[in-house]
Amino acid sequence: MPTQRFFQLTCIALIFAALLGFLAWPCVAMAQAEPAAMQEGNSQLLLPAQQDASVSQQAPLDNFGAGLQLRVGRMGLDPSFSQWALLQWDLAALPPAAQITRAELRLFQTTGGAQPLLLYRILRPWDASRVTWQTVPPAELAGSWTPPADGDQYVRQDITQLVADWVNSPANNPNYGLLLRPDGRTPETRVFDSLEAAAARPPLLYIEYSLPPLRVCYTPVEFCEPAVGAELFTPAGGDPIAVAGADGYVDSSLIALGDELWARLAVARPSDRSVLYATSPQVTTVTGDSFQFYSDSEGRELRMAVSRDKPLLLYDLDLSAQWYLQDDPGRIDWLRTNLIRASDYLYDFSEGQFALGRVTVRQMYEGWDGANIKLLTSNVLHPNAVVGGIVLTETSDISSTILITYTPGSIFMGSYWNRFGEPPGQEVKYQGVVVTEAEMRDDWAIALAHELGHYLLFLFDTYTDGSGVSSETIAEQCAGSAMGNAYKNSNHAFIADQAVWDTNCGATEAHLLLNGRSEWGTIQAWYDWVVVPPSPALQVYPPVPLTQVVFVPATASPAPLAASQVYTLEYQLGQTSSGEARAFLLRDDSLIFEQGKPAQGTDKVELVDARLGDRLCVFDFNDHAEAPDAPRHQFGCESVTAGDSQLAMTLDSAWNPLVTIEQTGPQQLQVSVVQPLVDGSVLRARLIPETDMGGPPQELLRSGDTWRTTFSLASPVPPLYLQVWVEESPAAPQTRRETIADRGAGGNGAYGPARLHSGVLAVSSDGNASYASDEPLELGPGESIAWQSMPGTPPLPPWKRIAGQSYRLDAFPTTLVAQGTISIEYTDSFGVLTAAGAAPQAEPAAQLHFWNGSQWLPLSTTLATPASAADGVQIASARSQGIGVYAVLQAGQPNLYLPQLRR
């Protein structure tokens, strides 16, 4: 082969040249190199040479610092042919007080022999790029060495004492390296690879050592107050690598040069769920220079500090998921990553003073009642938290002048969340620019960190006004608060300056409810150890991983997970999903898992925990869809089977039930459904509590087109779903007429017994409708306030169109919602509506309306742009009219595509 032929010719040339003297290097075979690594273990170093060179007596003025080989020996009996090698290593990484227990010279020998070598300690500086035979520095004999005779191997020699002198007595024994000389007894030359050899087999110095003492002290460290029990961590995370013992000393054999260390010391346990630490002001990198003399020490020490002025409270929380996670590694990884990210954001918001410690994750409702965080399957669930819900019992505000009572509660999160409240895959524009999924990647974690601000730190929103109405104007004015628009990096902090708080945030719900107490004032009131920052430091990152997420195996397992969690919706007439489409999974006809919404305008729905045998239902009832010629009356239900990923949708423009769920007693609900059906039809309904098994179905009694039944429960009314269907068995792919309505699901309702502060008390499951009370309320057992997302809408007045959908506010007793504010977010997506051939007309403002049972009543409405709103999203607010149906209506063309014309 040409390459082999070239190698043979080159070797012949080199061998011939070798007969002429030192300048030609003999040809050597290639062998496996011993890998070079700076750190072999906690007390081991493997250092490549810093510089090396050969010198030749035959060429006394020539420099060979760039040569590929180090040659030690002589070519004949004439001593003028001697060849020496110089080597030096950089030992600065080792602290002067390190104890050298073993040091070993390792050279890769390509040509061996019987020639013994002499080792000299070099006594003056030298430069590999300049040194020649005539400028070799003086050296003193330090020992002899006869390496093995064979080539193609690393040969080794102990030089422990020499290296120990260099490290521990640098003043008397400066490290200028080694000189290797032949002893002159045999006319041979040993050849070693140099630093420049292409085979990467450099001269090595292997060192085993022990570091000087390492000690953890409270600041200041000059006169050490021992931090006994302090834990040391590295950025790799996991368990502490060392713990400070008596007098604060750490076993230094557990520490390595180059380690980055951070210390914390538990100083208090405020509750069974939290630990308060004094922590290091910064990460310490272990270097030779880190070990210093202190006036109260016997020798060099590395002293790390923990400071009471750098406190950190770690909370251990329990999370319970509605669904089974164990057989979905992707979802487990997603959840673990986002919980850690949420903790990191909380750390950032709080200037490094709060984070999550251990998060214990249970599944399939196990531990649900006591969970701090409740994770639901819906992809549009509006995150919400009980303010101060970390308390163990009903607790009054820390200030006697603030008449707020905090009760134990939870944080509710959905399976997906972005700042616009849209399902995954939904295109969102903000200020005319499409916001990508990558840009919203951390929105779920940021939202949870914001909710932790409510839950753990007793903070209120700064993006809502005194009536609890979301306002982008207020959020922008009260800048610098994570309780406002937390998706802006500039808001990753809490406000301490009282003047700034009063001036910029005086119109916020937080300022009103807490009598002007600032955010850091509130935090310090509840946690008196905090250090109020003089000014916010944005982007504060944990020095080491602080949060551990532990998944507890479920006690039982469901049916196998469906291979596809994305279903194609086979709409009729080429339609796609409207903004009011909703998806549900029913398991064993007795458990319900709301999935949220498909992305609007698509034919896809992403599911969570769809399992073989589940019943998947998608309902899209919308007489007033986004385009006047595109109403939706489509629905479909089918069992999840192996290999299937399509759901056939049924089109029935006559099926548009108007469902009302009204609590009429502590343990009683009255259900009414307005829906024309042919004589002899049977309509049934079943209540399915959000977190429990559904009860038996009940047949509804008919009076004209209205159907009614009353459900009597064995316990107070909980958050729940109502499944309504016509008792029929149509031929596939048609499905029976069916719908599902919710009341107070997703943690968004208010349920007694509870004493509630004023402000937002109830929100619809999609976060669009809210009720804010003017005054604090006390709910007795069985009392509640809840929204119902309506599957149908009462008939609209002429020349009116609905923006989005209608929502029904319910309460028991009804007086609970008599004094307050109703708000509904909507998307102004109709554009300018004109009659055929007519000139465009300006679109009038939207207006909140109330259905009084016979007609829509317009309400005096305030319009605003909510915080973190996509383009076109507005919020309409008006005074509460009590229980009943609310909707945002706009003027427009009458709907010419009535159901009877679409058949």
Side-chain angles (χ1 to χ4, degrees):
M1 294 184 292
T3 303
Q4 183 180 24
R5 178 64 175 164
F6 174 80
F7 179 76
Q8 292 171 343
L9 291 175
T10 303
C11 285
I12 292 171
L14 290 175
I15 293 171
F16 177 77
L19 299 176
L20 300 179
F22 175 81
L23 296 180
W25 306 109
C27 191
V28 297
M30 306 296 285
Q32 180 65 38
E34 179 165 320
M38 283 297 296
Q39 187 72 47
E40 285 206 332
N42 279 351
S43 57
Q44 300 169 323
L45 283 177
L46 191 61
L47 299 174
Q50 180 185 14
Q51 61 172 347
D52 61 13
S54 286
V55 294
S56 171
Q57 192 174 11
Q58 185 180 5
L61 300 179
D62 292 345
N63 170 260
F64 303 101
L68 304 182
Q69 295 176 333
L70 300 174
R71 302 172 62 84
V72 183
R74 55 194 181 91
M75 297 299 295
L77 297 178
D78 187 344
S80 65
F81 287 87
S82 289
Q83 301 157 53
W84 300 347
L86 297 85
L87 304 101
Q88 187 177 15
W89 287 266
D90 183 1
L91 302 179
L94 286 165
Q99 182 179 355
I100 307 302
T101 57
R102 178 173 175 79
E104 189 175 79
L105 172 65
R106 299 181 181 181
L107 302 177
F108 192 85
Q109 181 172 265
T110 58
T111 300
Q115 177 76 275
L117 304 181
L118 300 176
L119 278 69
Y120 286 78
R121 183 202 313 266
I122 299 176
L123 302 178
R124 294 285 187 275
W126 56 279
D127 185 343
S129 65
R130 295 184 177 184
V131 68
T132 67
W133 179 270
Q134 286 194 350
T135 62
V136 170
E140 65 180 19
L141 185 64
S144 61
W145 174 31
T146 303
D150 295 337
D152 297 333
Q153 63 174 320
Y154 263 100
V155 293
R156 309 179 183 207
Q157 172 64 15
D158 186 287
I159 55 171
T160 301
Q161 187 57 53
L162 185 60
V163 174
D165 291 342
W166 285 338
V167 172
N168 296 316
S169 303
N172 298 324
N173 299 281
N175 169 28
Y176 298 125
L178 283 174
L179 174 67
L180 274 63
R181 295 173 52 177
D183 74 347
R185 285 183 286 177
T186 59
E188 296 177 328
T189 297
R190 292 182 183 268
V191 181
F192 308 99
D193 273 0
S194 73
L195 267 174
E196 292 76 16
R201 300 174 298 203
L204 299 173
L205 181 59
Y206 170 77
I207 303 173
E208 295 179 5
Y209 65 94
S210 59
L211 289 173
L214 186 152
R215 198 177 190 192
V216 186
C217 314
Y218 285 102
T219 53
V221 299
E222 284 71 23
F223 297 97
C224 182
E225 178 187 350
V228 180
E231 302 169 305
L232 294 187
F233 294 84
T234 70
D239 295 331
I241 64 169
V243 177
D247 296 329
Y249 285 106
V250 171
D251 182 354
S252 60
S253 69
L254 302 174
I255 310 301
L257 289 170
D259 278 353
E260 294 181 316
L261 302 177
W262 177 79
R264 72 184 190 194
L265 175 65
V267 294
R269 184 173 285 276
S271 72
D272 61 352
R273 289 190 172 276
S274 61
V275 180
L276 177 62
Y277 295 92
T279 72
S280 292
Q282 67 277 321
V283 171
T284 297
T285 302
V286 181
T287 66
D289 294 337
S290 304
F291 295 83
Q292 302 292 326
F293 283 108
Y294 294 92
S295 60
D296 61 339
S297 65
E298 296 181 358
R300 289 180 180 269
E301 292 183 353
L302 190 163
R303 289 189 177 178
M304 289 188 62
V306 292
S307 174
R308 297 177 179 91
D309 293 331
K310 189 69 175 175
L312 171 64
L313 188 70
L314 293 185
Y315 262 107
D316 294 341
L317 298 182
D318 291 332
L319 180 149
S320 180
Q322 273 188 320
W323 72 95
Y324 187 76
L325 293 160
Q326 284 173 225
D327 56 359
D328 192 348
R331 181 64 64 172
I332 286 178
D333 290 344
W334 175 88
L335 183 56
R336 177 184 289 109
T337 297
N338 277 275
L339 288 171
I340 292 172
R341 292 292 293 144
S343 175
D344 291 350
Y345 278 114
L346 178 64
Y347 184 92
D348 183 12
F349 296 171
S350 64
E351 310 296 322
Q353 299 186 61
F354 292 86
L356 301 183
R358 179 187 177 101
V359 181
T360 303
V361 178
R362 293 179 174 82
Q363 41 196 322
M364 293 181 68
Y365 288 118
E366 293 179 7
W368 185 268
D369 289 343
N372 306 103
I373 304 172
K374 297 180 179 180
L375 183 61
L376 294 92
T377 52
S378 174
N379 63 21
V380 292
L381 175 71
H382 193 276
N384 64 94
V386 175
V387 176
I390 194 64
V391 298
L392 300 179
T393 61
E394 188 175 287
T395 303
S396 298
D397 191 88
I398 207 79
S399 170
S400 60
T401 63
I402 297 176
L403 304 180
I404 292 179
T405 298
Y406 304 91
T407 57
S410 303
I411 299 171
F412 291 82
M413 297 292 295
S415 62
Y416 174 85
W417 178 254
N418 64 44
R419 66 196 71 178
F420 306 106
E422 300 291 353
Q426 178 73 59
E427 183 180 270
V428 179
K429 286 187 177 180
Y430 180 68
Q431 298 181 345
V433 179
V434 173
V435 184
T436 66
E437 285 282 351
E439 293 174 277
M440 300 184 291
R441 178 187 60 184
D442 273 4
D443 282 12
W444 191 97
I446 292 172
L448 176 55
H450 172 97
E451 299 304 326
L452 288 167
H454 289 309
Y455 187 71
L456 300 176
L457 307 183
F458 299 83
L459 298 176
F460 287 84
D461 287 320
T462 60
Y463 65 85
T464 52
D465 63 17
S467 298
V469 178
S470 176
S471 169
E472 184 152 352
T473 300
I474 286 178
E476 288 298 318
Q477 183 176 347
C478 186
S481 170
M483 303 314 293
N485 184 358
Y487 307 106
K488 294 181 66 172
N489 289 338
S490 58
N491 288 338
H492 287 185
F494 299 124
I495 297 174
D497 189 300
Q498 191 66 48
V500 170
W501 178 249
D502 292 339
T503 302
N504 297 344
C505 308
T508 65
E509 180 184 23
H511 195 283
L512 176 68
L513 290 175
L514 297 179
N515 292 351
R517 189 173 63 197
S518 71
E519 291 181 312
W520 272 107
T522 294
I523 297 170
Q524 191 176 49
W526 290 97
Y527 302 96
D528 58 5
W529 48 263
V530 301
V531 177
V532 177
S535 60
L538 301 180
Q539 295 184 326
V540 180
Y541 300 104
V544 300
L546 299 173
T547 305
Q548 180 186 17
V549 182
V550 178
F551 290 85
V552 178
T555 57
S557 59
L561 193 68
S564 176
Q565 296 290 309
V566 178
Y567 263 67
T568 299
L569 306 178
E570 296 179 334
Y571 274 86
Q572 302 298 308
L573 303 180
Q575 291 184 331
T576 55
S577 63
S578 79
E580 309 315 319
R582 298 179 73 183
F584 301 87
L585 284 172
L586 292 97
R587 189 162 297 165
D588 302 324
D589 263 347
S590 56
L591 273 178
I592 196 164
F593 301 92
E594 181 173 356
Q595 299 294 299
K597 296 182 177 183
Q600 184 176 340
T602 72
D603 63 351
K604 298 288 192 297
V605 59
E606 295 186 26
L607 306 176
V608 175
D609 201 45
R611 297 188 173 273
L612 301 183
D614 286 352
R615 191 161 177 267
L616 169 63
C617 292
V618 175
F619 305 108
D620 197 347
F621 302 128
N622 193 336
D623 263 326
H624 318 285
E626 291 68 26
D629 60 346
R632 307 291 197 280
H633 290 277
Q634 301 210 36
F635 51 96
C637 292
E638 68 176 36
S639 291
V640 175
T641 57
D644 188 20
S645 60
Q646 295 177 319
L647 177 65
M649 300 291 283
T650 296
L651 172 63
D652 187 341
S653 56
W655 176 246
N656 197 21
L658 178 61
V659 178
T660 299
I661 308 171
E662 182 178 1
Q663 184 175 351
T664 53
Q667 298 173 211
Q668 188 177 80
L669 289 167
Q670 181 173 297
V671 171
S672 66
V673 179
V674 178
Q675 172 65 53
L677 291 174
V678 299
D679 291 344
S681 298
V682 175
L683 195 64
R684 297 189 188 278
R686 182 204 323 267
L687 287 182
I688 304 177
E690 184 179 37
T691 61
D692 204 350
M693 309 292 283
Q698 293 184 192
E699 185 174 334
L700 280 70
L701 301 179
R702 182 173 191 170
S703 175
D705 292 335
T706 302
W707 309 70
R708 290 188 176 87
T709 191
T710 298
F711 288 90
S712 296
L713 309 179
S715 57
V717 171
L720 51 80
Y721 294 92
L722 177 75
Q723 180 188 15
V724 178
W725 69 92
V726 178
E727 194 64 54
E728 59 186 352
S729 299
Q734 298 291 306
T735 188
R736 74 184 184 186
R737 287 168 287 181
E738 186 171 350
T739 192
I740 293 176
D742 68 290
R743 184 186 185 277
N748 287 298
Y751 292 87
R755 287 201 290 170
L756 305 174
H757 58 78
S758 57
V760 175
L761 301 185
V763 182
S764 62
S765 61
D766 61 5
N768 289 337
S770 66
Y771 170 75
S773 174
D774 292 343
E775 300 293 338
L777 296 176
E778 185 164 354
L779 276 62
E783 297 182 348
S784 71
I785 305 172
W787 283 97
Q788 175 197 337
S789 300
M790 300 291 290
T793 299
L796 299 183
W799 299 95
K800 291 288 186 180
R801 296 182 58 78
I802 189 171
Q805 70 178 93
S806 57
Y807 299 87
R808 185 178 186 278
L809 181 63
D810 190 45
F812 176 80
T814 59
T815 53
L816 291 174
V817 293
Q819 298 295 320
T821 300
I822 303 295
S823 299
I824 296 181
E825 285 190 21
Y826 66 97
T827 301
D828 186 2
S829 56
F830 298 128
V832 177
L833 301 172
T834 63
Q841 55 182 323
E843 184 181 346
Q847 195 169 15
L848 202 59
H849 285 66
F850 173 71
W851 176 255
N852 68 358
S854 60
Q855 62 177 328
W856 287 98
L857 300 178
L859 306 179
S860 178
T861 302
T862 300
L863 299 180
T865 300
S868 303
D871 290 352
V873 174
Q874 296 290 290
I875 189 166
S877 302
R879 296 297 297 168
S880 173
Q881 304 300 302
I883 67 169
V885 179
Y886 295 82
V888 176
L889 303 184
Q890 293 176 290
Q893 270 185 296
N895 190 355
L896 302 180
Y897 297 85
L898 298 176
Q900 60 267 30
L901 298 181
R902 289 198 301 270
R903 289 191 177 182

